Amino acid sequence: MNKAPLKAFAGLAGLAAGGGLTMLVRLALGMPVWKTSPVLVVGIAAGLFAWLAATVGFRKLLSLDAARGALCGLAGTGVAIGITMLVRLAIGLPAWNASPVLTVGIFTGVVVYLITLGVFNYWARWAVGRPDGADRPKKPGWARYFDVDTDHKVIGVQYFVTGLAFLPFAVILQLVGRTHMVDPDLGILASGSYESVIGTHGIVMMFIVVLPVFFGLVNYFVPLQIGARDLAFPRLNAFTFWLVPPAGLLAAFSLMAGGFTTGWTAYPPLSSSFEVQGMDLVLIGVYLAGLSSILTAVNVLATIFKKRAPGMGFFRMPIFVWGTLATTSLSLVFTQFIGMSFLMVLLERTLGMGFFVPAMGGQVLLYQYLFWFYSHPAVYIFVLIGLGLISDIIPVFVRKPLFGYKGVAVSSMGIAWGGTIVFAHHMFAAGLPGWMRVPFMITTLLVAVPTGVKVFAWTATTWMGKIELKTPLLFVFAAVILFLIGGLTGIPQGIVPTDLYLHDSYWIVGHFHALFFGGFLLPAMAAIYYWFPKVRGRMLSEKLGRIQWFLMVPGMFLMVVPMLGLGLEGMRRRISDYEFILNLQPLHIATAVGGFLVFAGLVVLGYNLVVSNRRGETAGKNPWEASTLEWMISSPPPEHNFDEIPHVHDRPHLEQHAHVGGEPEQKSGEKEGDKA
Amino acid sequence: MTFPAVEIESARSSPMRLGMVLFLISEAFLLGALFWTYYYLRGLTPGWPPHSPPATLAFVNTAVLLSSSATIWLGARAIRRGNEKGLFGFLLATIVLGAAFLGITGWEWTHEDFFPWTDAYGSTFYTMTGFHALHVLGGVLLMLALLARTARHRFTADSFKAVEVGSLYWHFVDFIWILVFTSVFIIR
């Protein structure tokens, strides 16, 4: 029987019911009946749900942990909002005050969601001394990815796909913003909406795209590369993953709740003023994402310290693992600062506290100290894993071991910990005490040294190599060049006199987009082409990969370089308008075109993923002839990763790096230690 | 330079303790952000502190919390010697002391002459003591879980890692209280 009409009907009925109900509620609350965004969003969500229910069956849909958790979480939010309003009435306050009511509602909803999802089941059973239920049957196929699962490979895919799912959302937001800037007089966005749109783009990109994409790779490949069965705490791993989807939805829905005009930095006093209505959702969302990344850091560090295979000394780990080690050691401690500073703003909004309110004896600059003390190291949190990927992919495709392996490994830690003492360079223009300027200028410039070590090592590795220009290597080369541009354009911002001119201009927007392209997006693309065969057992299309490259990389240059020019011309960031007489429009047009090219590249990637997942050629164990451990097992890896305990003999990217199965080689006795 | 090969044994050993130590390092930074706030405001505000919460009861509270550190230590010692009943008793005592601490803190809060929304001092005072109290609450829940497990005879002289790891957390929370107490009530 053809069920297509039924599915379509269910979807449309859901859309109509959801939209209609929203309009009725709005009518009952005395609001204007039609407002496009809430009515459409609720309608589309209801329609999607009805369509899914008709497609896979209502019962099966509800049996998915994710669906159950989401529904119960929503219900919990509603009930908690209702109770809070009743309590407020009872103690003589006006029933509705967005910040406290929403905050209580959302936190309760998230807790209900986590409980009904079942991430606490293992621990609850452990506490009362019952069997932990780990032998629960796993659903076949895609359904497994919507259940709470403790296998690091499943969680890795969950993280990665969550990040990828939010990527087009964040990019489209920015395309709207860029289109607006082509001709602000057309009024595509109102002035408040423009700031909200780009702020949401920033927040979603950093916390809901970059972190989950990298944590996905870390989850999947760090245990494989160090020869472990799983992460140190698989249940904690599941818990930290399931914090990410609500965080992402909160950040995205802040636009519907009124948006936030502060930009991603959320500086008070603007962020604690009630005119910025969507702020609460962003603050809570980022807090959840931060909590997730702190606990993931605990988990990954314990894994790297405790779960390495025999022979896997620290200086035999792939650089990707070193980058992970550096990143997680930073996010372990510094994420607490953004968590705390965001919570303090939330407390100001909900309880009327006054840490940053001068009239109450607070200090505005205090927020900036706390915030940048995290957020500068955060930059390294966002790029170090990408730099590790670059260092690992180059040797595979130039058929040479990494030049200066030990220096590159240590430079990851150098960048990470050197980066912790530079934070005040974000505040050169903020009224910093004069004596702080020069020391922070010097430390800032010093961080360029370990970064330079990496770039020199990559170049030297490529030198005289047998270069195979496969798609991963193409992306890596583009990444190195963009990263270099990002690094060099950072120097004028580290130097006080030039920074005072460039601060808060498009120069910095261009600078950090170059860094994010070179340190995150392009390495992530390289990683997709490099590791997809391992995860799915099929190769991605090289041809589509090249088309993507030729759309994306020129697009990135077209986006970044005009931004730098705009900055030099004096264009400020987060401003939704400019005078045509200043002749800035051509540069804005170029930036917008670049943005659309990058997006076109992403569309090609999506097509490639879907098509190659079905019809790509079979990959086999080791299509790239790489030597690290993940390539010594079948693709996709078996449930338990390694049939036998792997043994590691030497550095990565050497023939004799490691082997799985068979007796440990006797003659490797003299190679026990690391010789260099 | 040589690097010792990792033994198969250590690859299999439980990393629970390391996980807790890492988590506590992280928590130290969370509370560090609060201390930063407190001392930053203190340095820039003439006439600090604008309010003087009475220290007498806080002294009592400190004694209560410190003695709970002793009871959890005694509990861990008891199970190391195979004394399950001793562990149960000392865990119970720790929970009672922790709950007493929370009760006294709550009583103090309702009897201060300033509120979180009075001024920046009030905000900092309630946030610091509040975050610490949240950590004590988390500790009490952890102790309750350990108590439930003890009642089901899950800890023996050979297997009590969770007790040790739990007590690590408890000692940390106590140590943080000493810092909060010294900052807020003694040196002002």
Side-chain angles (χ1 to χ4, degrees), chain A residues 126-130 232-233 294-295 298 301-302 305-312 315 332-333 336-337 340 343-344 347 351-355 360-363 365-366 369-370 373 406 423 645 672-674, chain B residues 1-3 5-6 8 10-13 15-16 18-19 22-23 25-27 29-30 32-34 36-37 40-41 44-45 116-121 123-124 126-127 131 145-146 148-149 152 154-155 162:
Chain A
W126 177 88
V128 295
R130 294 234 306 271
F233 309 109
I294 292 166
L295 294 174
V298 169
L301 283 173
F305 280 123
K306 290 282 188 185
K307 299 284 235 182
R308 279 167 292 132
M312 179 64 88
F315 282 108
L332 177 74
V333 294
Q336 293 280 15
F337 274 80
M340 201 61 225
L343 266 189
M344 283 158 83
L347 285 170
L351 287 175
M353 290 196 181
F355 306 99
M360 293 169 75
Q363 294 286 338
L365 264 192
L366 172 62
Y369 279 113
L370 294 177
F373 194 60
K406 212 177 259 185
F423 68 96
I645 295 173
E672 270 305 297
D674 199 335
Chain B
M1 207 183 345
T2 58
F3 296 92
V6 180
I8 302 176
S10 79
R12 284 182 186 162
S13 73
M16 199 151 74
L18 175 66
L22 290 170
F23 177 68
I25 292 173
S26 179
E27 290 297 279
F29 275 74
L30 167 81
L34 286 172
W36 186 336
T37 305
Y40 186 86
L41 292 177
L44 289 178
T45 310
W117 45 87
T118 307
D119 52 15
Y121 177 84
S123 310
T124 319
Y126 282 98
T127 311
F131 262 83
L146 293 177
R149 247 180 109 76
R152 287 193 167 235
R154 288 294 191 276
F155 294 121

Side-chain angles (χ1 to χ4, degrees), chain B residues 13-185:
Chain B
S13 73
S14 161
M16 199 151 74
R17 192 184 166 83
L18 175 66
M20 180 56 88
V21 170
L22 290 170
F23 177 68
L24 293 181
I25 292 173
S26 179
E27 290 297 279
F29 275 74
L30 167 81
L31 296 152
L34 286 172
F35 282 106
W36 186 336
T37 305
Y38 183 85
Y39 282 101
Y40 186 86
L41 292 177
R42 181 176 186 260
L44 289 178
T45 310
W48 187 272
H51 314 279
S52 308
T56 339
L57 207 55
F59 266 112
V60 178
N61 227 354
T62 309
V64 168
L65 203 59
L66 286 188
S67 49
S68 76
S69 245
T71 54
I72 186 71
W73 178 75
L74 286 167
R77 197 180 66 154
I79 192 65
R80 208 174 297 131
R81 295 173 178 177
N83 180 358
E84 198 181 62
K85 280 211 180 100
L87 172 63
F88 190 87
F90 282 121
L91 277 178
L92 201 61
T94 311
I95 292 167
V96 170
L97 288 169
F101 175 86
L102 289 176
I104 295 173
T105 307
W107 192 89
E108 265 186 312
W109 280 0
T110 48
H111 288 75
E112 302 291 2
D113 55 359
F114 58 96
F115 299 99
W117 45 87
T118 307
D119 52 15
Y121 177 84
S123 310
T124 319
F125 174 86
Y126 282 98
T127 311
M128 276 174 102
T129 50
F131 262 83
H132 181 264
L134 270 181
H135 279 78
V136 175
L137 184 66
V140 169
L141 293 176
L142 188 65
M143 293 300 139
L144 280 171
L146 293 177
L147 194 74
R149 247 180 109 76
T150 314
R152 287 193 167 235
H153 312 292
R154 288 294 191 276
F155 294 121
T156 62
D158 306 320
S159 156
F160 56 91
K161 196 169 265 158
V163 179
E164 283 201 318
V165 171
S167 71
L168 208 59
Y169 175 84
W170 194 268
H171 292 314
F172 170 81
V173 172
D174 284 6
F175 173 70
I176 293 297
W177 173 251
I178 295 176
L179 297 184
V180 174
F181 175 70
T182 319
S183 300
V184 177
F185 292 98

Side-chain angles (χ1 to χ4, degrees), chain A residues 419-439:
Chain A
T420 62
I421 47 169
V422 304
F423 68 96
H425 67 213
H426 294 269
M427 299 163 64
F428 283 153
L432 208 60
W435 61 267
M436 284 175 78
R437 284 180 161 183
V438 173

Side-chain angles (χ1 to χ4, degrees), chain A residues 102-121:
Chain A
L102 279 182
T103 304
V104 174
I106 290 168
F107 269 118
T108 317
V110 170
V111 171
V112 170
Y113 150 84
L114 288 171
I115 291 173
T116 49
L117 190 65
V119 287
F120 297 125
N121 288 2

Side-chain angles (χ1 to χ4, degrees), chain A residues 21 68 100 110 170 196 214 218 226 230 241 259 299 305 335 344 369 393 448 466 498 513 516 571 601:
Chain A
L21 212 61
R68 197 176 56 238
V110 170
S196 298
F214 274 158
V218 165
I226 63 172
D230 205 324
F241 164 70
N299 204 344
F305 280 123
T335 310
M344 283 158 83
Y369 279 113
I393 289 176
K466 223 178 102 191
T498 37
H513 277 92
F516 269 68
M571 178 80 208

